[in-house]
Amino acid sequence: MLAARIHEWGSTPAIDEIPDPSPVLGESLIQLEAAAVGHLDLTIAGGHFPVSPALPYVGGVEGCGIVVESGSLAVGSRVLIRGAGMGIER
């Protein structure tokens, strides 16, 4: 899959080919259909947030999409993704 990744804080994102993600126990895999670049994303990418995720960093703390794989949600369900460390911890 393609991902816009930050390789250095404050730099322009690079478009990289990366392996498809796999959900870990208790998580769901969502195919994003829309995502926003908001103030928090820009603050993190600029290196001005108190928590610095590991580099390379893929931004995105909110979006919406369709469940691809899950132990708790029906495949094909539409979901809103926001909070719970999304884009910062995972």
Side-chain angles (χ1 to χ4, degrees):
M1 71 178 234
L2 294 176
R5 301 196 307 171
I6 301 290
H7 291 272
E8 182 179 335
W9 301 122
S11 68
T12 301
I15 304 299
D16 298 330
E17 180 75 37
I18 63 171
D20 289 343
S22 299
V24 297
L25 186 62
E27 292 185 349
S28 299
L29 181 62
I30 310 299
Q31 180 179 336
L32 285 181
E33 294 184 322
V37 175
H39 175 72
L40 182 55
D41 296 300
L42 296 174
T43 300
I44 294 169
H48 305 294
F49 193 68
V51 177
S52 294
L55 291 172
Y57 166 69
V58 177
V61 298
E62 57 188 342
C64 61
I66 297 175
V67 176
V68 174
E69 184 180 335
S70 179
S72 59
L73 301 170
V75 171
S77 298
R78 293 188 167 284
V79 294
L80 171 69
I81 302 166
R82 186 169 189 231
M86 181 59 61
I88 298 172
E89 298 173 357
R90 179 85 168 117

